């Protein structure tokens, strides 16, 4: 069931993730990674990278998450972006990405990218589709560990901060 954002907003909390969020981040991501929509992450990987995660709560339930991965002093990535199925298309994805962009800006980063199956969503937020080869930092640090390394069908998008 989808709700209008104006109805949700008073109850929304956007915050940094804490240890208690690991299970809900894992479950939200797994519901999509099981269907091949998102790359899977283990609980220990989420734990190791917890400081990078922002989450959204609605009525004390964690319903969305996303992580900011820094590659260089200029370039970062939106990773592990998920809105719980029953809350999609209510504006939460936009709130989360804009919050991660604000965090990146405040850190002094200059560009933010993503590898995605939903480039149209990112285009709505000002990202442009580009060639993946523009991001060797991503390819060599994260993509080499991915099972789809030789057969990547995701689209690269980037925005200036
Ligand atoms: C992609 C995802 C994060 C978007 O979150 P969301 O809360 O549903 O999106 P929003 O409601 O904030 O949408 C913002 C805008 O993008 C558009 N949009 C959202 N999903 C879209 C899609 N799949 N295709 C095209 N446009 C889309 C919306 O229509 C809206 O446009 P508007 O501002 O003109 O009304 C969410 O659908 C999701 O979790 N998907 C599964 C996991 C995934 O693919 N994550 C991305 C990994 S990079």
């Amino acid at each position: 069931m989808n709700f209008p954002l104006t109805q949700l907003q008073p109850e929304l909390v956007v915050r940094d993730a804490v240890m208690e969020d690991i299970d809900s981040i894992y479950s939200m991501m797994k519901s999509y990674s099981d269907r091949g929509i998102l790359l899977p992450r283990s609980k220990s990987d989420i734990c190791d990278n917890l400081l990078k995660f922002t989450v959204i709560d609605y009525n004390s339930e964690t319903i969305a998450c996303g992580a900011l991965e820094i590659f260089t002093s200029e370039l970062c990535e939106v990773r592990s972006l998920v809105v719980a199925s029953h809350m999609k298309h209510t504006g939460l994805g936009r709130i989360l990405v804009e919050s991660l962009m604000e965090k990146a800006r405040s850190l002094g980063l200059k560009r933010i990218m993503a590898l995605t199956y939903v480039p149209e969503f990112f285009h709505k937020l000002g990202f442009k589709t580009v060639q993946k080869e523009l991001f060797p930092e991503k390819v060599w640090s994260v993509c080499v560990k991915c099972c789809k390394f030789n057969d990547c069908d995701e689209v690269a998008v980037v925005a200036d901060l």
Side-chain angles (χ1 to χ4, degrees):
M1 185 177 175
N2 290 337
F3 309 89
L5 187 57
T6 43
Q7 191 181 320
L8 295 176
Q9 225 144 19
E11 314 297 336
L12 291 179
V13 178
V14 182
R15 61 173 176 83
D16 292 338
V18 296
M19 289 298 163
E20 271 183 8
D21 298 316
I22 292 173
D23 284 349
S24 40
I25 292 173
Y26 175 77
S27 306
M28 279 191 288
M29 289 190 66
K30 190 170 184 317
S31 72
Y32 292 110
S33 61
D34 282 351
R35 290 179 270 154
I37 294 170
L38 201 74
L39 296 177
R41 294 186 84 161
S42 66
K43 287 188 187 181
S44 70
D45 182 30
I46 294 167
C47 178
D48 290 350
N49 290 284
L50 195 68
L51 285 172
K52 300 171 185 171
F53 275 89
T54 295
V55 297
I56 300 183
D57 295 333
Y58 173 65
N59 276 341
S60 307
E61 180 196 2
T62 303
I63 46 162
C65 70
L68 193 66
E69 184 80 38
I70 296 175
F71 291 126
T72 68
S73 58
E74 300 216 330
L75 178 67
C76 62
E77 180 195 19
V78 178
R79 276 194 84 189
S80 307
L81 178 72
V82 166
V83 173
S85 306
H86 64 293
M87 301 298 279
K88 278 168 73 172
H89 308 301
T90 56
L92 295 173
R94 176 187 288 276
I95 290 176
L96 202 43
V97 173
E98 286 178 348
S99 164
L100 291 170
M101 289 174 84
E102 191 47 47
K103 187 173 179 179
R105 225 173 265 125
S106 70
L107 288 168
L109 289 148
K110 304 292 181 216
R111 289 182 304 149
I112 187 162
M113 54 89 57
L115 283 181
T116 184
Y117 294 117
V118 284
E120 300 83 0
F121 162 73
F122 284 95
H123 294 163
K124 292 274 172 125
L125 300 181
F127 287 68
K128 291 190 170 56
T129 293
V130 289
Q131 296 294 312
K132 272 181 267 212
E133 291 68 25
L134 274 179
F135 302 111
E137 301 92 341
K138 168 75 179 174
V139 171
W140 295 115
S141 63
V142 178
C143 293
V144 284
K145 298 176 201 154
C146 176
C147 57
K148 291 191 176 179
F149 180 53
N150 288 316
D151 191 22
C152 178
D153 51 358
E154 292 187 300
V155 175
V157 292
V158 69
D160 289 330
L161 288 166

